[in-house]
Amino acid sequence: MDTTDNINSLVDEVRDGADEPLTLQEFQSIVREAINQPPWRAQADREADYADGNQLDSDLLRRQKALGIPPAKENKITPAIRAVCGYEAKTRTDWRVTPDGDPGGQDVADALNYRLNQAERHAKADRALSEAFKSMIVTGVGWVEVASAQNSIQFPYKCRHVHRNEVFWDMHAQEPDLSDARWLYRRRWVERQRAAQLFPEHAPIILRSLEKWIAGHAGEMLEGDLSTGLLNAANAERAWTATEDSWYNDENETIAITEVWYRRWVRTTILRMPDGRAVEYDQANELHQVAVTTGRGRLVEELMGRVRQAFWMGPHQLVDRPSPYPHCHFPYVPVWGYREDMTGVPYGLVRDMIFPQDNLNSSISKLRWGMSATRTERTKGAVAMSDEQFRRQVSRVDADIVLDEVHMAKQGARFEVKRDFQLNDQQFQLMQDSRQSIEGVSGITPAFQGQKGTARSGLQEQTQLEQSEISIADLMDSFKDARTQVGELLMALIIADMGKEETTIVIEGDVLNPPRTVVINAPEVDPHTGVAYRSNDIKRTRLKVALEDVPSSSGFRAQQLNALSESIKSLPAQMQQVMMPFMVDLMDLPRKKQVVEAIQQANGQADPEQVREQVKQELMYELKERELSVKERMADAQIEKLVREAVQVGVTSAFAAMQTGEKIALNPLVAPIGDVVMKQAGWQPPNPAGQDPNYPVPPQSVSVEQPGGVPGDTSPTTPQLPLQADSAAAGANQGIETLRAD
């Protein structure tokens, strides 16, 4: 029985707790774990003070004052930090949404890219990331919150920089994006009235906590007549082991609200597709069922973390709910610098710069003190004043020391003032070494800070600049990952707000590209299968956020402009005109689009020589067109003439054939003679044989009185043409077509 109970208890420990709220014991465990983490925040605060120029604490100033050493400070840390932050601003990159292996999702990616870049500007993402970058450089970690806006009047999304001392996280997490972290919480001090408005259902607890209502209502609790909620709150507050000052403050009437983000690890069924897509399986989704039934999808059991959010005020739980965001990450993005190997404690560039900075400050103080300090050797009673008066007088520039004449007349009496200039030389050398040490431990050279260094040529200065960039390359790489994660969280919020509704996105054009419209989630029907679907489905398109390879800062654009200008100089004039709009796009002009349009219009207007050449070409083209038209009409006339000549030849041939038949009929002996004449002339029988013309024959034969068509015409092939219709041939028996004996 005991074994069964133990097994049941073990099963309860691994149960699916995705919907279970955070208990008070779990919250206490998280807080205790955060308290027992390796201490590093006090050191980080000191590093931040040095970066801000606060390098002389009160204890040091008090000791220096007691010794008479004047305070001195030569801040070498702040310029180095500013140089690195300026380098980040100069090489800042933009987000670009690309389809992750999905060639059909380019339109969706372009539309989301436009929305994401719009959110980048209005959500103040660049500013938040820059502030987090500075915190990362100085202390080793910075935080950026990516959240929805608090009200509808504001822009829908907000990016804020969060101070490092407000955020506590699971240091046992191994992933840089904290995707495997068990918990993360943020602690803020909020006014009591505002907290009561944020959580109106817990207003009595929030308002009475500052009045120590446990002691004031102790009797009422014993006798009843108190709401159950307040009684439970009293029990929780009595069991809370932390001090009261850790979660409320009587003086300014503020309370500490703890925002806890934690994960519940559960077994989840995942639907995996052959193309690499993976979604949580939903039994109610018909498409998921079809994918499993047809074998296109495969179900696998995997362990996943469900993110939940809770708000606590000391021991009182105000809210506990699933994460309101569509992604599986905490809404706080860490920007990591360096981290210790054993403890995971973050640190930045300032840690190694503190000692040489202190050494430099102390060297300057001692050097100034040594230049003005004096050492006196005197016998007692040598000066005619008290010791305190003498010390004040001897340190003055216009010191006036009155010696005791009687005492100085004695044997062995002595009064001497000494200055040690040799020690000052050593301190000056130590000061120079401290300056070089700060540059050595940070890797930030004077050339990187825009100052004159040890370089004696442009090549040496460029080399030192590249060396500084190499020294912070790992920090820039870590910042790039954090910036990408911020873009992905923003994109997740944008996709969740767009949902499955049809959305028309007008992508504004730039200097070179015209504006265009993309419709997202447009309902359509497949004409072949009749299945309804959505084109440009934003939920099904696999996307990823990348960073542009080309930075978008004005400085880098100026470098690109110079490089492009040098390249264009060697191109022909026509190519220079083509490339001119791209050069204008790199310029910081207020009306670049109008300038490019004017250039394009000017390129369309040719010079006078080109105009003359174009007119000449137009005239030649018109003449050619006219010539072709004339040739076409001549060809039509020739064709018509050939048709008419063919008809005439056919009629003449038919008439000659009839004349030949008539002659043969009247004189049959003519036919053999005609055959011989034709053969001698080269006639051959047609091959294949000709066709019967099938001329119509009258029913009765007509006797021919006189051969020929007209009187006197005896030629079977060339009948005489009459001069007029009612007369015989002119000059009968005299025409060239009349056969005569000669």
Side-chain angles (χ1 to χ4, degrees):
M1 188 67 180
D2 295 340
T3 304
T4 304
D5 293 339
N6 293 334
I7 294 176
N8 292 334
S9 64
L10 293 175
V11 172
D12 292 338
E13 291 182 4
V14 297
R15 67 187 183 279
D16 185 357
D19 299 327
E20 292 185 4
L22 194 68
T23 64
L24 179 60
Q25 290 75 17
E26 290 176 321
F27 180 54
Q28 287 177 333
S29 175
I30 291 175
V31 174
R32 284 194 297 268
E33 183 178 349
I35 294 174
N36 294 326
Q37 285 178 347
W40 63 276
R41 298 180 186 272
Q43 177 67 20
D45 294 341
R46 184 165 177 259
E47 295 168 357
D49 282 339
Y50 270 74
D52 293 335
N54 301 322
Q55 301 171 355
L56 304 177
D57 57 15
S58 57
D59 294 337
L60 177 62
L61 293 176
R62 191 181 304 111
R63 292 194 303 268
Q64 287 182 341
K65 183 178 181 180
L67 296 174
I69 301 176
K73 179 184 68 174
E74 182 182 346
N75 190 359
K76 302 291 289 184
I77 295 180
T78 301
I81 298 301
R82 290 175 179 172
V84 178
C85 294
Y87 178 74
E88 181 274 326
K90 181 181 178 182
T91 59
R92 184 173 298 159
T93 54
D94 287 335
W95 287 314
R96 183 183 74 252
V97 181
T98 56
D100 188 7
D102 189 357
Q106 188 60 47
D107 288 341
V108 179
D110 292 341
L112 276 179
N113 188 71
Y114 173 72
R115 283 288 181 89
L116 182 60
N117 287 302
Q118 187 181 34
E120 179 184 2
R121 297 189 301 271
H122 296 288
K124 305 297 187 296
D126 290 338
R127 180 178 180 85
L129 283 166
S130 295
E131 293 177 356
F133 178 80
K134 180 181 178 182
S135 179
M136 178 260 285
I137 291 296
V138 174
T139 63
V141 64
W143 295 93
V144 177
E145 180 189 11
V146 183
S148 300
Q150 297 179 354
N151 53 64
S152 302
I153 299 178
Q154 299 177 345
F155 189 75
Y157 319 109
K158 191 72 175 178
C159 294
R160 308 180 185 90
H161 168 249
V162 181
H163 196 272
R164 64 186 178 278
N165 288 337
E166 294 184 6
V167 182
F168 298 80
W169 72 95
D170 179 16
M171 283 193 174
H172 297 290
Q174 300 295 324
E175 298 295 333
D177 58 354
L178 300 182
S179 58
D180 60 338
R182 294 172 293 127
W183 55 267
L184 177 146
Y185 74 82
R186 178 186 180 187
R187 193 164 175 265
R188 294 185 61 191
W189 289 92
V190 185
E191 295 180 357
R192 177 174 61 173
Q193 295 295 335
R194 182 184 177 188
Q197 293 175 351
L198 291 174
F199 307 98
E201 64 276 12
H202 299 285
I205 302 175
I206 296 173
L207 296 177
R208 295 185 182 182
S209 292
L210 297 180
E211 300 170 358
K212 296 182 174 58
W213 58 273
I214 291 182
H217 296 81
E220 298 178 5
M221 291 179 186
L222 296 177
E223 297 297 331
D225 195 16
L226 195 66
S227 67
T228 306
L230 294 181
L231 184 60
N232 293 334
N235 292 331
E237 193 162 319
R238 183 175 57 184
W240 183 248
T241 58
T243 60
E244 292 178 348
D245 290 339
S246 64
W247 60 280
Y248 72 84
N249 191 322
D250 282 332
E251 296 179 359
N252 54 12
E253 294 187 352
T254 57
I255 59 175
I257 300 295
T258 303
E259 179 187 6
V260 185
W261 295 85
Y262 62 98
R263 283 187 172 90
R264 296 292 193 190
W265 299 95
V266 296
R267 302 292 301 181
T268 308
T269 303
I270 302 297
L271 175 61
R272 300 185 63 179
M273 304 300 291
D275 59 354
R277 301 173 187 266
V279 295
E280 187 174 349
Y281 178 68
D282 184 8
Q283 257 186 339
N285 193 324
E286 296 182 358
L287 296 178
H288 290 191
Q289 296 178 3
V290 170
V292 175
T293 305
T294 57
R296 297 184 59 188
R298 183 167 57 93
L299 298 179
V300 294
E301 291 285 339
E302 295 182 358
L303 185 65
M304 295 188 62
R306 299 290 179 85
V307 179
R308 295 182 62 85
Q309 180 189 29
F311 288 92
W312 290 76
M313 184 191 68
H316 310 296
Q317 185 184 87
L318 305 179
V319 172
D320 195 298
R321 62 186 180 184
S323 173
Y325 301 117
H327 51 76
C328 59
H329 296 276
F330 298 149
Y332 296 95
V333 178
V335 185
W336 300 112
Y338 302 111
R339 285 194 286 179
E340 294 180 356
D341 180 66
M342 296 296 295
T343 62
V345 169
Y347 66 95
L349 295 176
V350 180
R351 170 182 284 192
D352 295 332
M353 301 170 69
I354 289 179
F355 174 75
Q357 181 66 62
D358 287 340
N359 198 12
L360 176 61
N361 294 338
S362 62
S363 299
I364 296 176
S365 297
K366 291 181 180 179
L367 182 61
R368 292 182 57 194
W369 173 78
M371 293 177 64
S372 60
T374 57
R375 181 165 60 90
T376 61
E377 296 179 1
R378 61 187 173 90
T379 57
K380 189 173 181 59
V383 295
M385 61 184 70
S386 64
D387 293 344
E388 185 64 26
Q389 291 176 341
F390 171 71
R391 293 190 181 95
R392 288 199 304 267
Q393 190 66 231
V394 76
S395 61
R396 295 180 55 177
V397 179
D398 55 347
D400 184 13
I401 309 300
V402 179
L403 300 178
D404 189 292
E405 183 180 359
V406 177
H407 178 79
M408 294 302 296
K410 295 180 181 180
Q411 185 178 5
R414 188 164 65 95
F415 178 83
E416 186 177 358
V417 179
K418 296 182 178 181
R419 295 179 181 273
D420 192 353
F421 293 100
Q422 183 178 1
L423 180 62
N424 292 338
D425 293 338
Q426 296 175 357
Q427 291 175 349
F428 181 78
Q429 183 62 38
L430 182 62
M431 181 178 62
Q432 293 295 107
D433 294 341
S434 299
R435 289 194 181 104
Q436 296 178 2
S437 178
I438 293 177
E439 299 175 3
V441 298
S442 65
I444 308 302
T445 60
F448 193 84
Q449 302 177 31
Q451 302 175 3
K452 183 178 180 180
T454 59
R456 294 296 178 265
S457 65
L459 180 60
Q460 291 180 357
E461 188 170 0
Q462 182 67 23
T463 303
Q464 293 181 1
L465 183 62
E466 292 178 357
Q467 290 173 352
S468 298
E469 294 177 358
I470 293 173
S471 65
I472 61 173
D474 50 349
L475 296 177
M476 299 303 299
D477 190 47
S478 177
F479 176 72
K480 181 179 178 180
D481 294 339
R483 184 177 178 86
T484 302
Q485 185 178 356
V486 171
E488 290 177 349
L489 298 189
L490 269 178
M491 186 180 68
L493 296 180
I494 295 173
I495 293 176
D497 289 345
M498 295 177 68
K500 291 186 174 296
E501 299 295 330
E502 181 178 356
T503 306
T504 301
I505 299 177
V506 179
I507 303 176
E508 297 180 359
D510 53 14
V511 177
L512 301 176
N513 301 315
R516 66 190 185 100
T517 302
V518 177
V519 180
I520 302 298
N521 299 329
E524 297 184 8
V525 178
D526 193 334
H528 301 288
T529 61
V531 178
Y533 69 98
R534 293 183 180 272
S535 62
N536 293 336
D537 192 347
I538 197 170
K539 292 287 187 180
R540 293 176 56 84
T541 305
R542 292 188 300 170
L543 304 169
K544 66 179 179 180
V545 175
L547 295 181
E548 289 281 2
D549 296 333
V550 178
S552 60
S553 63
S554 58
F556 196 88
R557 287 199 302 271
Q559 295 179 4
Q560 285 184 311
L561 178 61
N562 293 333
L564 186 60
S565 301
E566 294 297 328
S567 301
I568 290 179
K569 288 180 181 179
S570 60
L571 296 178
Q574 296 83 357
M575 295 301 298
Q576 291 180 0
Q577 295 178 358
V578 173
M579 296 299 296
M580 183 58 66
F582 296 93
M583 292 184 60
V584 176
D585 185 40
L586 296 174
M587 300 178 182
D588 292 331
L589 300 177
R591 302 178 64 183
K592 292 192 293 185
K593 186 175 182 180
Q594 289 78 2
V595 173
V596 171
E597 291 178 354
I599 292 175
Q600 292 175 347
Q601 293 177 1
N603 290 337
Q605 299 175 359
D607 55 5
E609 185 65 28
Q610 292 179 346
V611 171
R612 287 193 295 269
E613 185 67 23
Q614 185 175 1
V615 170
K616 182 178 179 181
Q617 292 179 359
E618 293 292 337
L619 292 176
M620 293 297 295
Y621 178 78
E622 184 178 358
L623 293 175
K624 193 70 174 177
E625 287 287 332
R626 294 175 59 182
E627 181 181 357
L628 292 176
S629 178
V630 171
K631 288 184 177 180
E632 183 178 359
R633 290 196 300 269
M634 290 180 62
D636 294 339
Q638 290 178 355
I639 292 174
E640 184 178 1
K641 179 181 178 182
L642 292 175
V643 171
R644 291 179 179 180
E645 289 178 352
V647 173
Q648 182 180 2
V649 170
V651 172
T652 304
S653 300
F655 181 77
M658 288 185 290
Q659 290 280 349
T660 302
E662 181 182 1
K663 294 295 183 181
I664 294 174
L666 295 177
N667 189 4
L669 297 177
V670 176
I673 299 173
D675 292 339
V676 174
V677 172
M678 290 184 64
K679 289 180 180 180
Q680 289 180 353
W683 178 86
Q684 294 181 357
N687 186 18
Q691 296 181 355
D692 184 6
N694 196 15
Y695 290 114
V697 180
Q700 295 180 357
S701 60
V702 180
S703 59
V704 180
E705 297 179 356
Q706 187 175 359
V710 293
D713 187 5
T714 59
S715 173
T717 57
T718 56
Q720 182 181 4
L721 297 177
L723 297 179
Q724 53 187 11
D726 55 351
S727 65
N733 299 327
Q734 293 180 5
I736 60 174
E737 296 179 354
T738 302
L739 297 178
R740 299 192 303 273
D742 56 355

